[in-house]
Amino acid sequence: NAGVTQTPKFQVLKTGQSMTLQCAQDMNHEYMSWYRQDPGMGLRLIHYSVGAGITDQGEVPNGYNVSRSTTEDFPLRLLSAAPSQTSVYFCASRNYLDRDGYTFGSGTRLTVV
Amino acid sequence: KQEVTQIPAALSVPEGENLVLNCSFTDSAIYNLQWFRQDPGKGLTSLLLIQSSQREQTSGRLNASLDKSSGRSTLYIAASQPGDSATYLCAVLYGNNRLAFGKGNQVVVIP
């Protein structure tokens, strides 16, 4: 049981490049979310999904797109990377009954130069 | 908007002392509260989950209480050890699947 798997672990992008951060979970969780963590700001919600085909914006959605075509996968797309998107990105998932709370991936450290 | 505050931001204690970490939230309409541990450069590890109907949860040396009406939770770590050194994050689940985090309590346990 792998839990929540994020790839890549590290990435360096040039300003203006696009990329996709991958997130996959094998726990059949309905709910999935993306967060970014910045020094002094804590973790902030980017986008979330309550099931396949359903997504919504969080606190800081600008510059990011998501889709949820399967229960297992929830990729985060950076459309045109900016230095302000330098951060650590975490994906998380939970069962809708929420008996165990959220499970987090190990994170992707992204640097935009 | 739900806001979560953790006090103190940082603390150091000698090994063996009990740790008391505080978390407060502004909107009492929460589904649950979750405490996490984060080591430097690592992900979040769930420690305890308290449902909104519960008053406390315990796991080994850890005990977390919840007073939803006053918007407070406290995490107690008994007989602290150097391995307890980490950042502890409090998060509340509210609204439509939204998890709001505090900025953390950075703990150093001195041998």
Side-chain angles (χ1 to χ4, degrees), chain B residues 92-109:
Chain B
V92 296
L93 185 68
Y94 74 105
N96 186 14
N97 193 47
R98 290 173 176 256
L99 196 62
F101 282 86
K103 294 181 181 178
N105 305 108
Q106 189 174 2
V107 172
V108 175
V109 180

Side-chain angles (χ1 to χ4, degrees), chain B residues 3-77:
Chain B
E3 295 193 358
V4 182
T5 303
Q6 292 187 245
I7 296 173
L11 71 160
S12 296
V13 298
E15 181 178 359
E17 275 201 8
N18 296 333
L19 277 164
V20 180
L21 308 178
N22 296 301
C23 171
S24 62
F25 46 95
T26 54
D27 187 348
S28 62
I30 66 169
Y31 297 110
N32 61 47
L33 184 144
Q34 196 167 358
W35 282 94
F36 295 89
R37 169 184 172 138
Q38 187 176 31
D39 294 293
K42 303 296 185 183
L44 280 68
T45 301
S46 181
L47 297 174
L48 290 168
L49 172 72
I50 312 175
Q51 300 292 349
S52 61
S53 58
Q54 297 176 316
R55 297 286 291 184
E56 66 175 354
Q57 277 287 350
T58 298
S59 176
R61 293 184 295 113
L62 276 60
N63 174 275
S65 65
L66 173 64
D67 184 342
K68 197 175 78 162
S69 61
S70 67
R72 296 177 188 275
S73 176
T74 301
L75 178 66
Y76 300 89
I77 303 178

Side-chain angles (χ1 to χ4, degrees), chain A residues 3 19 22 34 37 52 59 64 68-69 81-82 91-93 107 109:
Chain A
M19 80 159 294
Q22 301 291 344
W34 276 101
Q37 185 176 36
E59 188 182 352
Y64 307 95
R68 184 98 179 267
S69 56
C91 179
S93 73
R109 187 172 295 272

